[in-house]
Amino acid sequence: MRATVIHAPHDIRVEEVPDPAIQQPTDAVLRVLRACICGSDLWAYRGESARQPGQRIGHEFLGVIEETGSAVAGFKPGDLVVAPFVWSDGSCEYCAESLQTSCPQGGFWGSIGSDGVKSDGGQGEAVRVPFADGTLVKLPADAASDDRLLTALLALSDVMGTGHHAAVGAGVTAGSTVAVVGDGAVGLCGVLAAKRLGAERIIALGRHEVRTDIARTFGATDVVAERGDAAVAAVRELTGGQGAHAVIEAVGTEQSMRTAVGITRDGGAIGFVGVPHGSGTGIDLSVMFDRNIALRGGVAPVRAYIPELLPDVLDGTIDPSPVFDVSVGLDGVPGGYKAMDERTALKVLIKP
């Protein structure tokens, strides 16, 4: 089969790799119908996140089950399923607490285990799924023939659940004022999540008009194009000098975290889901202490959120599909990385 591998910074290739096969009774083999490139994949692409030459890449996908191990009880060949970006056994204490990202037997697609074994990445034709019963979520079979719906459902593998995690961490409630730092796919899904949770006012921070137009479609009431101190001043002016009750931080840099702290209302909270790249130096604990600002978030346990969000995607209450603005086949994946790195694409959809 063919799959995407990374050999070095800016060196993404689509190559022949071994076909996936059942290795454990709890495994399933899944034929990929849709995958995509994540903003966090760009850290590896840029050389800021270490990868071994030839390592598989990609962690967002959905598809059809081709084969199941003897211990898989909840799925059968032909089922349409979505995979969260972390597999988990579904039976440990962390899984029971809806924190599947901390499952001791879990892992990230495309990662290398302590035994040196490389797991399958999602940007390919097929994937071996460990702990299928604990990991996968079944989708309606007829969704496979609805291109827009299938694309919207793909967002449940990561960005929609991650945006929701940020909104929950920030304490978004009905009638609240929310500010979203970051105009990437996760930030835009954070806008959508905040709207779904009943926010009355949503301020989107971003400078790219195409993206902020999507933010408005998703429910943003205001857009702030400034950065740094100017952004803080603009948000405070919009909120009568107080700031936002809930702030979603979806970037992960020092500047984005400083901005998030600066625009949070006293007594408010920040939900942070941007993969940290310098954001730790953007936190002034004394300021947060003095102003009673809470900080919650981290890697999103999207497996816990899929059952909650799935019905709203199926009935059209939320539609995250507009975050995918470029579509490619497998041969187009290297160009897709380049486009996202150069910010000429927001999020690239892959149709193997």
Side-chain angles (χ1 to χ4, degrees):
M1 59 163 272
R2 300 169 73 225
T4 306
V5 298
I6 182 168
H7 284 269
H10 299 94
D11 186 1
I12 296 285
R13 308 178 197 175
V14 178
E15 298 180 340
E16 292 288 333
V17 300
D19 290 339
I22 300 295
Q23 297 179 16
Q24 300 293 332
T26 52
D27 288 351
V29 172
L30 181 151
R31 174 169 51 87
V32 177
L33 293 183
R34 295 289 185 277
C36 55
I37 302 172
C38 183
S40 62
D41 291 331
L42 297 180
W43 297 118
Y45 181 73
R46 295 165 180 159
E48 298 180 44
S49 179
R51 293 292 190 276
Q52 291 185 7
Q55 189 172 340
R56 296 276 295 277
I57 194 167
H59 55 262
E60 300 163 280
F61 59 94
L62 56 75
V64 175
I65 290 180
E66 296 279 282
E67 185 181 2
T68 59
S70 60
V72 175
F75 302 98
K76 63 184 186 303
D79 285 344
L80 180 67
V81 295
V82 62
F85 65 81
V86 170
W87 73 78
S88 53
D89 63 21
S91 59
C92 72
E93 290 184 8
Y94 287 111
C95 288
E97 295 168 2
S98 296
L99 195 63
Q100 291 89 344
T101 49
S102 292
C103 176
Q105 297 195 85
F108 292 81
W109 307 109
S111 63
I112 301 176
S114 57
D115 55 2
V117 175
K118 298 176 182 178
S119 66
D120 293 344
Q123 294 166 10
E125 293 179 323
V127 175
R128 179 182 74 88
V129 178
F131 302 107
D133 281 331
T135 300
L136 302 173
V137 177
K138 190 178 296 186
L139 303 173
D142 57 2
S145 60
D146 185 331
D147 189 65
R148 184 211 57 79
L149 178 58
L150 206 60
T151 301
L153 291 168
L154 176 62
L156 294 176
S157 66
D158 186 347
V159 287
M160 187 63 232
T162 298
H164 178 72
H165 185 57
V168 170
V172 176
T173 57
S176 59
T177 294
V178 181
V180 180
V181 182
D183 60 3
V186 170
L188 294 175
C189 285
V191 172
L192 195 57
K195 179 67 174 178
R196 177 181 175 272
L197 292 173
E200 181 176 330
R201 191 173 193 183
I202 303 172
I203 304 167
L205 281 71
R207 298 185 299 170
H208 300 81
E209 189 173 349
V210 171
R211 300 182 180 199
T212 54
D213 284 348
I214 295 174
R216 291 187 186 278
T217 301
F218 282 180
T221 55
D222 303 272
V223 169
V224 168
E226 291 84 356
R227 280 186 146 188
D229 291 342
V232 173
V235 173
R236 289 199 166 272
E237 183 177 355
L238 287 170
T239 56
Q242 294 187 342
H245 300 97
V247 174
I248 291 172
E249 193 284 311
V251 182
T253 64
E254 176 180 355
Q255 183 184 65
S256 64
M257 187 59 79
R258 287 190 185 279
T259 298
V261 172
I263 63 178
T264 304
R265 185 180 188 271
D266 287 16
I270 299 167
F272 73 108
V273 292
V275 178
H277 282 78
S279 58
T281 54
I283 298 175
D284 187 332
L285 290 180
S286 63
V287 171
M288 298 180 70
F289 180 86
D290 290 344
R291 295 175 51 213
N292 280 283
I293 294 174
L295 182 66
R296 308 183 191 95
V299 57
V302 299
R303 177 61 182 82
Y305 297 133
I306 292 175
E308 175 185 350
L309 298 172
L310 177 57
D312 283 0
V313 174
L314 291 174
D315 68 14
T317 299
I318 56 173
D319 177 14
S321 65
V323 302
F324 300 96
D325 60 340
V326 173
S327 177
V328 300
L330 273 181
D331 289 333
V333 171
Y337 272 84
K338 186 173 187 293
M340 284 183 61
D341 185 46
E342 295 174 350
R343 295 182 71 84
T344 59
L346 169 57
K347 191 169 182 66
V348 174
L349 176 70
I350 303 167
K351 298 181 178 181

